[in-house]
Amino acid sequence: MVTLEPVRPLATADLEAAGMTWHTEQDGSAYLAPEVVVVHEAEAAALAAAASALQAMYLQAAGEVIAQRRYAELGIPANLEPLIEDSWAREDPLLLGRFDLAGGLAGEPVKLLEFNADTPTGVLETSLLQWLLLK
């Protein structure tokens, strides 16, 4: 059973002071939900294991793209190829990314919805905003 726990919504002024200016959707609703999902330790472990397995798959796929130089097929500009290859050679291929997962709670299997590595919102969402909610 999934449990939601209400949290005190963050004030717009607090969000903006923290650098989050996209706090309101176009329809006027809040970007952040007024509750958090309670995740039990076993569920957190299952989600972490799924994320680790997915990261390994993504890195394997990236290695194939690099080895076979299939950049154009993915719409990656030629001027970025040396940067990608240099990063890969240094073994720091993933600087920031977020797996959007479904399931994993109440015994449901974990399912990948998407992998986001093109926006830095994860830094604010997983560190700063969670800290503000905790306070």
Side-chain angles (χ1 to χ4, degrees):
M1 178 176 187
V2 176
T3 306
L4 299 177
E5 184 175 311
V7 293
R8 183 179 57 83
L10 297 171
T12 300
D14 292 336
L15 292 170
E16 290 178 357
M20 185 174 180
T21 58
W22 67 93
H23 46 69
T24 305
E25 300 289 350
Q26 290 181 349
D27 66 2
S29 63
Y31 175 75
L32 299 172
E35 65 270 332
V36 294
V37 177
V38 176
V39 179
H40 300 284
E41 192 170 338
E43 295 167 331
L47 291 166
S52 292
L54 288 165
Q55 181 178 11
M57 287 186 249
Y58 269 83
L59 291 174
Q60 181 180 357
E64 292 296 318
V65 168
I66 293 166
Q68 298 174 23
R69 303 190 52 79
R70 297 177 69 178
Y71 304 111
E73 293 175 53
L74 298 175
I76 298 172
N79 66 321
L80 296 180
E81 293 175 22
L83 297 171
I84 293 168
E85 292 170 1
D86 181 58
S87 176
W88 190 257
R90 286 193 321 265
E91 297 184 359
D92 63 352
L94 184 63
L95 300 177
L96 173 68
R98 180 190 76 226
F99 291 109
D100 289 345
L101 305 172
L105 303 176
E108 294 180 9
V110 178
K111 177 182 175 182
L112 174 65
L113 299 176
E114 67 177 334
F115 178 65
N116 289 297
D118 58 350
T119 63
T121 59
V123 172
L124 283 173
E125 292 170 353
T126 60
S127 60
L128 181 61
L129 293 179
Q130 288 183 23
W131 172 250
L132 289 174
L133 284 171
L134 180 63
K135 287 177 32 181

